[in-house]
């Protein structure tokens, strides 16, 4: 019994391959240690990729799909069973190869890495809403918040509470003024001038007018809080949610400032109500956030020549300036930056921005976790040698190596354990400094409890491996054999 358990535990620590004959493999038998960095080397065509991708990854993926329901299997790509007698100790497998990211024009570096999902959430929860026409801040506030804001003014400040009912509209507005008079209001402000309501004659019909009701005049003191609250509630009921606070200068004759408060996200200047913000408001794949002119693609087809048979060419959408988003979404900012402006930064610039970003009060509590996830993923992209990319870079313009490293950074962020990762020469095209960072990432993923199976020629990466498998001795029909397979200490002892 003790011997049986020992053998079972030994098998758990290995991927056991017996009789692998896929493509040019010559019925090889091989034991590969789990949870190690394993590098497969050899000549081009010697069977490296056949062993890594066409045998181990294919079988791991096939077994995972087979474990799903019949309906789920119909939706996923099903891989053929590789030509092998036995594979034991296999984990769920993820291939990170050098294939392109496809041709979907909606995929970007930000969406592929899920960083854009976190950005959408951050902007929806703590973004500053501005009117997309006049750029004035729009913030919905409760009556208590309005009172707190007004009471922060210096003691003994004189204020006038105004309830706007007409904003820059032509007409005599006789009916509205008559109703205010009937309701008992003594003064209104017409076109920035406070007047006795009984003394107001007919207004010119062809001139735009702005009319606000004078609800109360106050000298701010601590004991005026209850009166201020009651007056604000009255003003908000008259104006349907908006109030203006006329802050008077010490001479009580001139306006020192004009504060605006709203129970809803409505611009008092333009009378534009912003829809409630959700993450979908910043998605160019959703009608809630996509620019209606280009449907969220950022480009439109234009015929640049009048010659017959001219092909349409892609040009940046002039409505959204290539940002893909509707005007309301582009007007929301964090620290003065809109979401499309952030995605145009390089990875390095964006990481610096978010490290320096700070919030106050409740916004800090809401934003902290989201911000840290964004910073982590940006740092992962920099670590795999992609600090120069921008988040709005379309995925179909990436090279095979860039796409592979982006997918590697995404897997780092996922923090999975117990996975067999299969990589295809990830060091190609990297500066030696970035290659060293890549090796550290492979070791970090190994230390999480994953098996890292890497097809590689880079000598330094081979030297860092826990286990090396050399395929050969030649290419094609002359390859397909395991020339060497062992831990590096065994090699040096030899």
């Amino acid at each position: 019994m003790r011997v049986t358990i020992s053998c079972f535990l030994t098998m758990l620590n290995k991927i056991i391959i017996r009789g692998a004959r896929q493509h040019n493999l010559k019925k090889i038998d091989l034991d590969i240690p789990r949870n190690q960095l394993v590098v497969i080397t050899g000549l081009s065509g010697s069977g490296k990729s056949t062993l890594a991708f066409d045998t181990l990854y294919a079988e791991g993926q096939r077994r995972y799909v087979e474990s799903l329901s019949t309906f789920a299997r119909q939706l996923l790509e099903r891989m053929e069973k590789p030509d092998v007698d036995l594979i034991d100790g296999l984990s769920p497998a993820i291939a990170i190869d050098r294939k392109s990211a496809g041709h979907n024009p909606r995929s970007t570096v930000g969406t592929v890495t899920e960083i854009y999902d976190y950005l959408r959430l951050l902007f929806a929860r703590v973004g500053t809403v501005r009117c997309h026409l006049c750029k004035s801040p729009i913030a919905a506030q409760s009556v208590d918040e309005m009172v707190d804001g007004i009471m922060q003014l210096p003691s003994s400040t004189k204020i006038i509470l105004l309830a706007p009912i007409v904003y820059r509209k032509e007409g005599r507005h006789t009916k509205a003024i008559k109703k205010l008079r009937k309701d008992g209001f003594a003064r209104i402000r017409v076109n920035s001038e406070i007047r006795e309501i009984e003394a107001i004659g007919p207004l010119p019909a062809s001139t735009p007018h702005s009319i606000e009701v004078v609800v109360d005049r106050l000298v701010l003191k601590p004991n005026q809080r209850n009166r201020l609250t009651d007056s604000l509630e009255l003003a908000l009921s008259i104006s349907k949610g908006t109030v203006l606070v006329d802050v008077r200068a010490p001479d009580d004759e001139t306006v020192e400032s004009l504060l605006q408060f709203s129970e809803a996200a409505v611009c008092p200047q333009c009378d534009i109500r912003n829809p409630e913000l959700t993450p979908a408001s910043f998605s160019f794949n959703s009608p809630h956030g996509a620019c209606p002119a280009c449907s969220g693609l950022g480009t439109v087809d234009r015929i640049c020549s009048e010659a017959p048979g001219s092909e349409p060419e892609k040009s940046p959408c002039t409505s959204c300036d290539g940002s893909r988003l509707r005007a309301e979404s582009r007007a929301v900012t964090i620290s003065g930056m809109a979401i499309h402006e952030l995605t145009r930064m390089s990875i390095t610039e964006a990481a610096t921005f978010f490290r320096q970003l700070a919030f106050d009060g409740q916004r800090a509590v809401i934003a902290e976790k989201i911000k840290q996830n964004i910073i982590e993923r940006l740092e992962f992209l920099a670590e795999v040698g992609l600090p120069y990319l921008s988040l709005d870079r379309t995925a179909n313009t990436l090279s095979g190596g860039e796409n592979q490293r982006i997918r590697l950074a995404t897997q780092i962020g996922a923090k999975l354990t117990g996975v067999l990762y299969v990589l295809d020469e990830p060091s190609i095209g990297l500066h030696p400094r970035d290659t060293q960072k890549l090796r550290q990432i492979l070791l970090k993923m190994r230390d999480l409890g994953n098996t890292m199976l890497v097809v590689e020629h880079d000598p330094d990466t081979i030297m860092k491996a826990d286990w090396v498998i050399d395929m050969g001795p030649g290419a094609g029909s002359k390859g397909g054999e395991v020339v060497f397979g062992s831990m590096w200490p065994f090699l040096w002892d030899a």
Side-chain angles (χ1 to χ4, degrees):
M1 178 68 176
R2 193 172 298 170
V3 174
T4 304
I5 294 175
S6 176
C7 292
F8 177 71
L9 291 175
T10 301
M11 289 178 61
L12 284 179
N13 292 325
K14 297 178 182 178
I15 300 173
I16 300 172
I17 306 169
R18 297 291 182 264
R21 297 176 296 274
Q22 186 74 6
H23 300 326
N24 69 333
L25 299 183
K26 293 185 170 60
K27 201 176 181 180
I28 65 172
D29 297 337
L30 184 64
D31 292 351
I32 300 174
R34 290 166 50 85
N35 304 331
Q36 300 292 316
L37 173 58
V38 180
V39 172
I40 305 179
T41 67
L43 298 173
S44 179
S46 62
K48 304 186 301 297
S49 296
T50 297
L51 174 61
F53 289 93
D54 300 333
T55 302
L56 288 171
Y57 167 68
E59 181 63 6
Q61 182 72 354
R62 187 189 69 82
R63 290 184 186 181
Y64 169 71
V65 173
E66 288 296 323
S67 70
L68 302 176
S69 67
T70 303
F71 175 75
R73 290 201 298 270
Q74 294 173 352
L75 304 177
L76 297 172
E77 179 185 1
R78 299 181 68 178
M79 306 190 76
E80 293 295 326
K81 180 175 175 28
D83 190 2
V84 61
D85 292 337
L86 170 72
I87 299 181
D88 270 344
L90 197 58
S91 303
I94 296 176
I96 306 179
D97 54 24
R98 300 178 60 81
K99 293 178 182 177
S100 67
H103 302 285
N104 186 352
R106 294 185 178 276
S107 293
T108 66
V109 172
T111 60
V112 170
T113 59
E114 300 181 354
I115 294 174
Y116 194 71
D117 294 333
Y118 284 103
L119 284 177
R120 294 192 294 115
L121 182 61
L122 187 69
F123 271 77
R125 296 293 180 262
V126 297
T128 299
V129 183
R130 295 182 180 275
C131 173
H132 66 274
L133 293 180
C134 69
K135 308 305 179 186
S136 299
I138 301 175
Q141 294 177 297
S142 66
V143 174
D144 287 340
E145 289 173 329
M146 296 179 195
V147 172
D148 290 340
I150 296 170
M151 292 300 291
Q152 289 178 4
L153 294 169
S155 182
S156 300
T157 298
K158 297 177 180 179
I159 64 170
I160 302 174
L161 296 184
L162 304 167
I165 58 170
V166 175
Y167 179 70
R168 297 180 63 181
K169 289 184 179 179
E170 295 181 356
R172 298 185 185 278
H173 306 292
T174 305
K175 188 175 180 180
I177 294 173
K178 183 178 179 180
K179 184 178 186 307
L180 293 173
R181 188 182 293 117
K182 182 179 178 182
D183 290 342
F185 292 102
R187 297 177 182 84
I188 61 175
R189 192 174 79 153
V190 181
N191 303 328
S192 301
E193 180 186 355
I194 295 178
R195 299 164 63 181
E196 297 288 339
I197 196 167
E198 297 293 344
I200 295 176
L203 300 176
S206 60
T207 303
H209 301 288
S210 294
I211 301 174
E212 298 95 25
V213 182
V214 177
V215 175
D216 202 355
R217 300 171 71 100
L218 291 165
V219 177
L220 289 180
K221 293 180 180 178
N223 61 359
Q224 293 281 36
R225 187 179 182 91
N226 289 340
R227 176 178 168 179
L228 176 59
T229 301
D230 293 340
S231 297
L232 279 171
E233 289 176 345
L234 176 58
L236 293 168
S237 66
I238 296 169
S239 66
K240 298 181 180 179
T242 303
V243 63
L244 304 179
V245 180
D246 181 340
V247 182
R248 290 277 150 167
D251 60 9
D252 198 25
E253 297 297 327
T254 57
V255 180
E256 187 174 85
S257 62
L258 189 67
L259 307 179
Q260 303 169 348
F261 298 94
S262 176
E263 282 186 315
V266 178
C267 176
Q269 301 296 331
C270 306
D271 198 28
I272 291 176
R273 179 184 295 269
N274 253 39
E276 181 181 354
L277 291 182
T278 68
S281 304
F282 303 94
S283 172
F284 42 78
N285 293 320
S286 165
H288 298 288
C291 168
C294 64
S295 299
L297 290 172
T299 59
V300 293
D301 291 331
R302 287 195 175 90
I303 304 295
C304 298
S305 172
E306 296 182 1
S310 297
E311 293 292 330
E313 295 183 8
K314 297 290 184 184
S315 300
C317 174
T318 54
S319 295
C320 65
D321 191 27
S323 70
R324 304 174 177 235
L325 297 172
R326 63 192 315 123
E328 294 85 350
S329 303
R330 299 197 306 272
V332 182
T333 61
I334 289 178
S335 192
M337 298 291 291
I339 191 169
H340 66 281
E341 294 171 329
L342 282 174
T343 59
R344 287 172 178 170
M345 292 180 174
S346 70
I347 298 300
T348 300
E349 292 170 339
T352 300
F353 174 86
F354 281 102
R355 289 191 199 102
Q356 297 173 348
L357 184 62
F359 296 96
D360 297 325
Q362 185 63 25
R363 295 172 77 230
V365 177
I366 296 171
E368 186 59 30
K369 186 70 173 179
I370 306 172
K371 189 180 77 168
Q372 288 305 316
N373 275 293
I374 293 172
I375 292 172
E376 278 186 9
R377 281 164 170 74
L378 289 170
E379 289 176 342
F380 292 152
L381 285 171
E383 286 177 8
V384 296
L386 300 173
Y388 56 88
L389 290 182
S390 61
L391 294 175
D392 68 348
R393 172 86 172 266
T394 52
N396 57 13
T397 65
L398 298 169
S399 70
E402 288 172 332
N403 175 59
Q404 184 185 37
R405 294 198 293 277
I406 282 175
R407 293 169 62 194
L408 180 59
T410 303
Q411 290 301 321
I412 300 169
K415 298 180 181 178
L416 296 175
T417 62
V419 175
L420 170 63
Y421 285 104
V422 185
L423 292 88
D424 184 18
E425 300 187 66
S427 67
I428 286 183
L430 283 181
H431 186 278
R433 177 185 64 250
D434 294 324
T435 304
Q436 183 177 1
K437 292 181 181 178
L438 176 66
R439 289 194 295 270
Q440 294 302 317
I441 289 170
L442 296 177
L443 294 172
K444 182 189 298 184
M445 294 179 70
R446 175 205 65 185
D447 293 342
L448 285 174
N450 299 300
T451 304
M452 310 302 296
L453 189 64
V454 184
V455 176
E456 188 58 273
H457 290 112
D458 176 59
D460 291 332
T461 303
I462 296 171
M463 294 291 289
K464 287 290 184 181
D466 301 308
W467 193 278
V468 176
I469 301 169
D470 187 35
M471 300 295 296
S477 61
K478 297 180 180 178
E481 298 180 27
V482 178
V483 177
F484 171 83
S486 182
M487 296 180 67
W488 269 120
F490 294 170
L491 177 62
W492 297 128
D493 290 345

